[in-house]
Amino acid sequence: MTDTYHVRPGGALRGSLRVPGDKSISHRAIMLGAIAQGVTEVSGFLEGEDALATMNAFRAMGVRIEGPDQGRVTVHGVGKHGLKAPGRPLDCGNSGTSMRLLAGLLSGQGFAATLTGDDSLRRRPMGRVAQPLSLMGARIETEAGGLPPVRILPAPPLHGIHYDLPVASAQVKSAILLAGLYAVGETSVTEPEPTRDHTERMLTAFGYPVTREGATARLRGQGELKATPIDVPADISSAAFFMVGASIAPGSDITLTGVGINPTRTGIIDILKLMGADLTLQNQRLAGGEPVADIRVRHAPLHGIAVPESLVALAIDEFPALFVAAANAAGETVVTGAEELRVKESDRIQVMADGLQALGIAAQPTPDGMVIQGGKPYGGGVIDSRGDHRIAMSFAMAALRAGAPLTIRDCANVATSFPGFATLAAQAGLGLDAA
Ligand code: S3P
């Protein structure tokens, strides 16, 4: 395991590269493939620890899954009622998506199951899924304060509900919709801001009708899913580190190929463009019901902005990288309305502010975001990523403009979302040694 990154200052990113498959779509391909009728062939699957945790959970429930082999996975669907009670707690590792979506899916099964995870995941809020699932008739228990482990007990058939999401969360929306597959009647979810809609799109691809009216997604329970091939695009959230790196490093010119550009995920592109970045989308096409493109990024001088709150949910995983962009953007960048960052794999507001300050960057955390005075020279130093994959990769890119080397600690979890990051980044021109 690669725990510490040593990154030399300076350099530029160049060339054409493909980042690994989309994490959100990879999770869903396993989940929906498992409960579909027939065999689902997946290509471009993310062979990262989070998606593998989902895969192992379904294997523990009796689903035969072959692979992954160079991104190819074959899921032998058991149908909606074919899962078997797992003989042990299901370990979701670091993955909030596994735990929250499984909580919804398992609520409808009629057998008992326990969901647990690593130290980070066991600090993350699960009451946000337990509460609406209980309203549907699920018997679901958490530890005090809504923390994992999550225990799901056998319950009579669920019934559909309408739920107004109190926070913009695709994981909560998806948990409710997946439980809704097993519920009597109609289940609908209204979201306060658009969030990623991969669950809705993939259900439709599996022949399960989901309707959308404005901010509300709706489905009727008790239909069937039919296996369909899934071609997973490259993950825009992984591409984001290279978009930021190339934008801030003079002389950079990279093309990121086959990146998913689902409009519920492209906040990073919009925000970087507002800051003056030079990004162009080429060769736009559809792959497996999802839009993809090659994204060319060339260095450009960035300037600070007030990030529109309407873009926050559409870039929710990209803020660690965006804070690094802001540190390299002339003037002030203000992020508000992003309090969800405090309950991700780490408290991403505090951990990023601590790291930026360690480099000498004026970064002031606020309850729901950050204020960064950017565009001034900064130094190197030691960064603690707190085991958060996206913090580690963001600071690796910060080295491109640092005045001295960076040592980034606790990077092993990069493997949850971006196996091979250190090698790919070094090939592109980052002075990264993983020890
Ligand atoms: C995800 C939704 C987001 C995101 C996470 C993946 C998903 O979480 O941060 O990395 O696959 O549905 P929230 O829905 O909790 O914001």
Side-chain angles (χ1 to χ4, degrees), residues 23-25 27-28 97 100-101 124 128 168-172 174 195-196 198 316-317 340 344-345 348 390:
K23 183 151 74 77
S24 294
I25 297 175
H27 282 296
R28 287 157 172 83
T97 309
R100 296 205 179 101
L101 271 59
R124 296 181 64 189
R128 56 176 63 192
S169 166
Q171 293 181 352
V172 180
S174 299
T195 69
R196 65 192 69 192
H198 305 300
I316 194 66
D317 290 339
E340 274 295 298
K344 294 295 180 188
E345 286 84 328
R348 287 182 173 162
R390 299 201 198 281

mmCIF file of all heavy atoms in Angstrom, residues 23-25 27-28 97 100-101 124 128 168-172 174 195-196 198 316-317 340 344-345 348 390, ligand 1:
data_model
loop_
_atom_site.group_PDB
_atom_site.id
_atom_site.type_symbol
_atom_site.label_atom_id
_atom_site.label_comp_id
_atom_site.label_asym_id
_atom_site.label_seq_id
_atom_site.Cartn_x
_atom_site.Cartn_y
_atom_site.Cartn_z
ATOM 1 N N LYS A 23 -17.065 5.928 -10.337
ATOM 2 C CA LYS A 23 -17.335 5.186 -9.100
ATOM 3 C C LYS A 23 -18.838 5.029 -8.891
ATOM 4 O O LYS A 23 -19.318 3.921 -8.604
ATOM 5 C CB LYS A 23 -16.696 5.944 -7.931
ATOM 6 C CG LYS A 23 -16.836 5.265 -6.592
ATOM 7 C CD LYS A 23 -15.664 5.615 -5.678
ATOM 8 C CE LYS A 23 -15.738 7.028 -5.126
ATOM 9 N NZ LYS A 23 -16.707 7.148 -4.019
ATOM 10 N N SER A 24 -19.572 6.100 -9.036
ATOM 11 C CA SER A 24 -21.028 6.027 -8.793
ATOM 12 C C SER A 24 -21.688 5.032 -9.736
ATOM 13 O O SER A 24 -22.558 4.252 -9.334
ATOM 14 C CB SER A 24 -21.656 7.409 -9.012
ATOM 15 O OG SER A 24 -21.196 8.316 -8.046
ATOM 16 N N ILE A 25 -21.277 5.054 -10.997
ATOM 17 C CA ILE A 25 -21.903 4.169 -11.990
ATOM 18 C C ILE A 25 -21.464 2.726 -11.759
ATOM 19 O O ILE A 25 -22.254 1.787 -11.902
ATOM 20 C CB ILE A 25 -21.576 4.670 -13.413
ATOM 21 C CG1 ILE A 25 -22.183 6.066 -13.616
ATOM 22 C CG2 ILE A 25 -22.096 3.700 -14.480
ATOM 23 C CD1 ILE A 25 -21.826 6.730 -14.942
ATOM 24 N N HIS A 27 -20.737 1.251 -8.848
ATOM 25 C CA HIS A 27 -21.550 0.701 -7.753
ATOM 26 C C HIS A 27 -22.916 0.252 -8.266
ATOM 27 O O HIS A 27 -23.406 -0.835 -7.951
ATOM 28 C CB HIS A 27 -21.832 1.784 -6.704
ATOM 29 C CG HIS A 27 -20.716 2.086 -5.770
ATOM 30 N ND1 HIS A 27 -20.217 1.189 -4.879
ATOM 31 C CD2 HIS A 27 -20.034 3.240 -5.553
ATOM 32 C CE1 HIS A 27 -19.263 1.766 -4.153
ATOM 33 N NE2 HIS A 27 -19.137 3.013 -4.553
ATOM 34 N N ARG A 28 -23.538 1.130 -9.020
ATOM 35 C CA ARG A 28 -24.920 0.876 -9.454
ATOM 36 C C ARG A 28 -24.989 -0.278 -10.449
ATOM 37 O O ARG A 28 -25.981 -1.008 -10.495
ATOM 38 C CB ARG A 28 -25.520 2.166 -10.028
ATOM 39 C CG ARG A 28 -25.834 3.204 -8.917
ATOM 40 C CD ARG A 28 -25.889 4.610 -9.473
ATOM 41 N NE ARG A 28 -26.366 5.618 -8.538
ATOM 42 C CZ ARG A 28 -25.610 6.241 -7.615
ATOM 43 N NH1 ARG A 28 -24.320 5.947 -7.490
ATOM 44 N NH2 ARG A 28 -26.134 7.156 -6.820
ATOM 45 N N THR A 97 -21.392 5.357 -0.424
ATOM 46 C CA THR A 97 -22.352 4.959 -1.458
ATOM 47 C C THR A 97 -22.796 3.520 -1.238
ATOM 48 O O THR A 97 -23.986 3.209 -1.319
ATOM 49 C CB THR A 97 -21.736 5.111 -2.864
ATOM 50 O OG1 THR A 97 -21.175 6.422 -2.979
ATOM 51 C CG2 THR A 97 -22.768 4.907 -3.943
ATOM 52 N N ARG A 100 -25.166 3.443 1.994
ATOM 53 C CA ARG A 100 -26.485 4.092 1.905
ATOM 54 C C ARG A 100 -27.358 3.410 0.854
ATOM 55 O O ARG A 100 -28.554 3.173 1.083
ATOM 56 C CB ARG A 100 -26.314 5.584 1.627
ATOM 57 C CG ARG A 100 -25.609 6.306 2.782
ATOM 58 C CD ARG A 100 -25.948 7.780 2.852
ATOM 59 N NE ARG A 100 -25.292 8.427 3.971
ATOM 60 C CZ ARG A 100 -24.170 9.181 3.887
ATOM 61 N NH1 ARG A 100 -23.594 9.384 2.711
ATOM 62 N NH2 ARG A 100 -23.646 9.735 4.953
ATOM 63 N N LEU A 101 -26.787 3.085 -0.294
ATOM 64 C CA LEU A 101 -27.624 2.444 -1.325
ATOM 65 C C LEU A 101 -28.021 1.027 -0.903
ATOM 66 O O LEU A 101 -29.159 0.599 -1.123
ATOM 67 C CB LEU A 101 -26.903 2.434 -2.675
ATOM 68 C CG LEU A 101 -27.151 3.680 -3.555
ATOM 69 C CD1 LEU A 101 -26.739 4.962 -2.876
ATOM 70 C CD2 LEU A 101 -26.470 3.553 -4.907
ATOM 71 N N ARG A 124 -19.918 8.552 9.805
ATOM 72 C CA ARG A 124 -20.753 9.315 8.855
ATOM 73 C C ARG A 124 -22.248 9.082 9.095
ATOM 74 O O ARG A 124 -22.663 8.005 9.513
ATOM 75 C CB ARG A 124 -20.334 8.964 7.419
ATOM 76 C CG ARG A 124 -18.892 9.404 7.165
ATOM 77 C CD ARG A 124 -18.437 9.100 5.773
ATOM 78 N NE ARG A 124 -19.190 9.836 4.780
ATOM 79 C CZ ARG A 124 -19.105 9.622 3.468
ATOM 80 N NH1 ARG A 124 -18.290 8.689 3.021
ATOM 81 N NH2 ARG A 124 -19.819 10.334 2.630
ATOM 82 N N ARG A 128 -29.961 9.837 7.905
ATOM 83 C CA ARG A 128 -30.581 10.448 6.717
ATOM 84 C C ARG A 128 -31.186 9.401 5.783
ATOM 85 O O ARG A 128 -32.074 9.740 4.997
ATOM 86 C CB ARG A 128 -29.571 11.337 5.985
ATOM 87 C CG ARG A 128 -28.303 10.614 5.599
ATOM 88 C CD ARG A 128 -27.351 11.476 4.780
ATOM 89 N NE ARG A 128 -26.864 12.652 5.489
ATOM 90 C CZ ARG A 128 -26.217 13.652 4.905
ATOM 91 N NH1 ARG A 128 -25.982 13.637 3.608
ATOM 92 N NH2 ARG A 128 -25.798 14.687 5.594
ATOM 93 N N ALA A 168 -29.518 17.940 -0.318
ATOM 94 C CA ALA A 168 -29.340 17.483 -1.700
ATOM 95 C C ALA A 168 -28.378 16.303 -1.660
ATOM 96 O O ALA A 168 -27.170 16.492 -1.544
ATOM 97 C CB ALA A 168 -28.778 18.615 -2.556
ATOM 98 N N SER A 169 -28.888 15.087 -1.715
ATOM 99 C CA SER A 169 -28.039 13.896 -1.642
ATOM 100 C C SER A 169 -28.527 12.811 -2.589
ATOM 101 O O SER A 169 -29.626 12.276 -2.433
ATOM 102 C CB SER A 169 -28.008 13.345 -0.207
ATOM 103 O OG SER A 169 -27.452 12.042 -0.211
ATOM 104 N N ALA A 170 -27.677 12.493 -3.559
ATOM 105 C CA ALA A 170 -28.016 11.409 -4.496
ATOM 106 C C ALA A 170 -28.026 10.067 -3.786
ATOM 107 O O ALA A 170 -28.747 9.154 -4.199
ATOM 108 C CB ALA A 170 -26.995 11.386 -5.634
ATOM 109 N N GLN A 171 -27.241 9.958 -2.725
ATOM 110 C CA GLN A 171 -27.218 8.672 -2.011
ATOM 111 C C GLN A 171 -28.535 8.435 -1.294
ATOM 112 O O GLN A 171 -29.068 7.320 -1.309
ATOM 113 C CB GLN A 171 -26.048 8.639 -1.028
ATOM 114 C CG GLN A 171 -24.703 8.635 -1.750
ATOM 115 C CD GLN A 171 -23.521 8.567 -0.806
ATOM 116 O OE1 GLN A 171 -23.666 8.676 0.414
ATOM 117 N NE2 GLN A 171 -22.340 8.412 -1.368
ATOM 118 N N VAL A 172 -29.078 9.469 -0.679
ATOM 119 C CA VAL A 172 -30.368 9.309 0.013
ATOM 120 C C VAL A 172 -31.479 9.095 -1.019
ATOM 121 O O VAL A 172 -32.313 8.190 -0.873
ATOM 122 C CB VAL A 172 -30.650 10.522 0.919
ATOM 123 C CG1 VAL A 172 -31.984 10.335 1.634
ATOM 124 C CG2 VAL A 172 -29.522 10.710 1.936
ATOM 125 N N SER A 174 -31.222 7.790 -3.912
ATOM 126 C CA SER A 174 -31.075 6.450 -4.488
ATOM 127 C C SER A 174 -31.528 5.373 -3.517
ATOM 128 O O SER A 174 -32.155 4.386 -3.912
ATOM 129 C CB SER A 174 -29.620 6.209 -4.885
ATOM 130 O OG SER A 174 -29.221 7.154 -5.855
ATOM 131 N N THR A 195 -29.229 16.503 -8.056
ATOM 132 C CA THR A 195 -28.066 15.684 -7.693
ATOM 133 C C THR A 195 -27.899 14.621 -8.770
ATOM 134 O O THR A 195 -28.796 14.411 -9.599
ATOM 135 C CB THR A 195 -28.240 15.000 -6.329
ATOM 136 O OG1 THR A 195 -29.266 14.006 -6.436
ATOM 137 C CG2 THR A 195 -28.597 16.005 -5.240
ATOM 138 N N ARG A 196 -26.780 13.930 -8.722
ATOM 139 C CA ARG A 196 -26.473 12.962 -9.788
ATOM 140 C C ARG A 196 -27.633 11.981 -9.963
ATOM 141 O O ARG A 196 -28.204 11.504 -8.982
ATOM 142 C CB ARG A 196 -25.140 12.262 -9.518
ATOM 143 C CG ARG A 196 -25.116 11.396 -8.305
ATOM 144 C CD ARG A 196 -23.682 10.995 -7.966
ATOM 145 N NE ARG A 196 -22.928 12.157 -7.512
ATOM 146 C CZ ARG A 196 -21.605 12.185 -7.360
ATOM 147 N NH1 ARG A 196 -20.873 11.115 -7.622
ATOM 148 N NH2 ARG A 196 -20.995 13.270 -6.942
ATOM 149 N N HIS A 198 -27.651 8.999 -11.745
ATOM 150 C CA HIS A 198 -27.238 7.720 -12.335
ATOM 151 C C HIS A 198 -28.204 6.587 -11.993
ATOM 152 O O HIS A 198 -28.396 5.677 -12.787
ATOM 153 C CB HIS A 198 -25.828 7.339 -11.875
ATOM 154 C CG HIS A 198 -24.806 8.382 -12.143
ATOM 155 N ND1 HIS A 198 -24.522 8.838 -13.417
ATOM 156 C CD2 HIS A 198 -23.994 9.094 -11.320
ATOM 157 C CE1 HIS A 198 -23.575 9.764 -13.347
ATOM 158 N NE2 HIS A 198 -23.251 9.934 -12.088
ATOM 159 N N ILE A 316 -19.972 18.317 -5.935
ATOM 160 C CA ILE A 316 -19.781 18.117 -4.491
ATOM 161 C C ILE A 316 -18.485 17.378 -4.167
ATOM 162 O O ILE A 316 -17.846 17.682 -3.161
ATOM 163 C CB ILE A 316 -21.022 17.429 -3.858
ATOM 164 C CG1 ILE A 316 -20.970 17.534 -2.331
ATOM 165 C CG2 ILE A 316 -21.172 15.981 -4.320
ATOM 166 C CD1 ILE A 316 -21.083 18.930 -1.784
ATOM 167 N N ASP A 317 -18.050 16.467 -5.021
ATOM 168 C CA ASP A 317 -16.821 15.717 -4.714
ATOM 169 C C ASP A 317 -15.561 16.442 -5.188
ATOM 170 O O ASP A 317 -14.448 15.991 -4.928
ATOM 171 C CB ASP A 317 -16.874 14.328 -5.369
ATOM 172 C CG ASP A 317 -17.904 13.428 -4.692
ATOM 173 O OD1 ASP A 317 -18.264 13.697 -3.532
ATOM 174 O OD2 ASP A 317 -18.353 12.461 -5.335
ATOM 175 N N GLU A 340 -22.228 20.155 3.380
ATOM 176 C CA GLU A 340 -22.135 18.694 3.201
ATOM 177 C C GLU A 340 -20.684 18.217 3.177
ATOM 178 O O GLU A 340 -20.387 17.062 3.483
ATOM 179 C CB GLU A 340 -22.824 18.271 1.905
ATOM 180 C CG GLU A 340 -24.319 18.041 2.045
ATOM 181 C CD GLU A 340 -24.644 16.867 2.966
ATOM 182 O OE1 GLU A 340 -24.260 15.741 2.645
ATOM 183 O OE2 GLU A 340 -25.263 17.097 4.008
ATOM 184 N N LYS A 344 -18.155 14.210 4.561
ATOM 185 C CA LYS A 344 -17.641 13.285 3.531
ATOM 186 C C LYS A 344 -16.599 12.354 4.184
ATOM 187 O O LYS A 344 -16.598 12.189 5.388
ATOM 188 C CB LYS A 344 -17.061 14.088 2.361
ATOM 189 C CG LYS A 344 -18.127 14.889 1.595
ATOM 190 C CD LYS A 344 -19.110 13.982 0.915
ATOM 191 C CE LYS A 344 -20.164 14.752 0.148
ATOM 192 N NZ LYS A 344 -21.224 13.870 -0.357
ATOM 193 N N GLU A 345 -15.718 11.759 3.383
ATOM 194 C CA GLU A 345 -14.754 10.798 3.925
ATOM 195 C C GLU A 345 -13.923 11.422 5.045
ATOM 196 O O GLU A 345 -13.403 10.735 5.915
ATOM 197 C CB GLU A 345 -13.861 10.266 2.802
ATOM 198 C CG GLU A 345 -14.551 9.267 1.876
ATOM 199 C CD GLU A 345 -15.368 9.910 0.767
ATOM 200 O OE1 GLU A 345 -15.932 11.022 0.955
ATOM 201 O OE2 GLU A 345 -15.471 9.297 -0.322
ATOM 202 N N ARG A 348 -14.032 17.844 4.896
ATOM 203 C CA ARG A 348 -13.203 18.381 3.802
ATOM 204 C C ARG A 348 -12.998 19.886 3.883
ATOM 205 O O ARG A 348 -12.087 20.412 3.223
ATOM 206 C CB ARG A 348 -13.805 17.975 2.446
ATOM 207 C CG ARG A 348 -13.586 16.505 2.174
ATOM 208 C CD ARG A 348 -14.105 16.055 0.831
ATOM 209 N NE ARG A 348 -13.691 14.668 0.617
ATOM 210 C CZ ARG A 348 -14.242 13.858 -0.270
ATOM 211 N NH1 ARG A 348 -15.230 14.292 -1.039
ATOM 212 N NH2 ARG A 348 -13.805 12.614 -0.412
ATOM 213 N N ARG A 390 -9.538 12.042 -1.833
ATOM 214 C CA ARG A 390 -9.590 13.260 -2.669
ATOM 215 C C ARG A 390 -8.708 14.374 -2.112
ATOM 216 O O ARG A 390 -8.202 15.215 -2.863
ATOM 217 C CB ARG A 390 -11.034 13.719 -2.837
ATOM 218 C CG ARG A 390 -11.901 12.658 -3.521
ATOM 219 C CD ARG A 390 -13.151 13.211 -4.144
ATOM 220 N NE ARG A 390 -14.120 12.157 -4.401
ATOM 221 C CZ ARG A 390 -14.071 11.305 -5.441
ATOM 222 N NH1 ARG A 390 -13.109 11.406 -6.334
ATOM 223 N NH2 ARG A 390 -14.996 10.377 -5.590
HETATM 224 C C1 S3P B 1 -22.609 9.667 -4.614
HETATM 225 C C2 S3P B 1 -23.250 10.785 -4.140
HETATM 226 C C3 S3P B 1 -22.570 11.867 -3.424
HETATM 227 C C4 S3P B 1 -21.067 11.811 -3.590
HETATM 228 C C5 S3P B 1 -20.519 10.433 -3.452
HETATM 229 C C6 S3P B 1 -21.156 9.489 -4.449
HETATM 230 C C7 S3P B 1 -23.395 8.629 -5.310
HETATM 231 O O1 S3P B 1 -22.873 11.773 -2.041
HETATM 232 O O2 S3P B 1 -20.436 12.667 -2.650
HETATM 233 O O3 S3P B 1 -19.115 10.431 -3.648
HETATM 234 O O4 S3P B 1 -22.798 7.755 -5.954
HETATM 235 O O5 S3P B 1 -24.633 8.668 -5.213
HETATM 236 P P1 S3P B 1 -24.190 12.502 -1.440
HETATM 237 O O6 S3P B 1 -25.320 11.999 -2.227
HETATM 238 O O7 S3P B 1 -24.264 12.080 -0.007
HETATM 239 O O8 S3P B 1 -23.935 13.967 -1.588
#
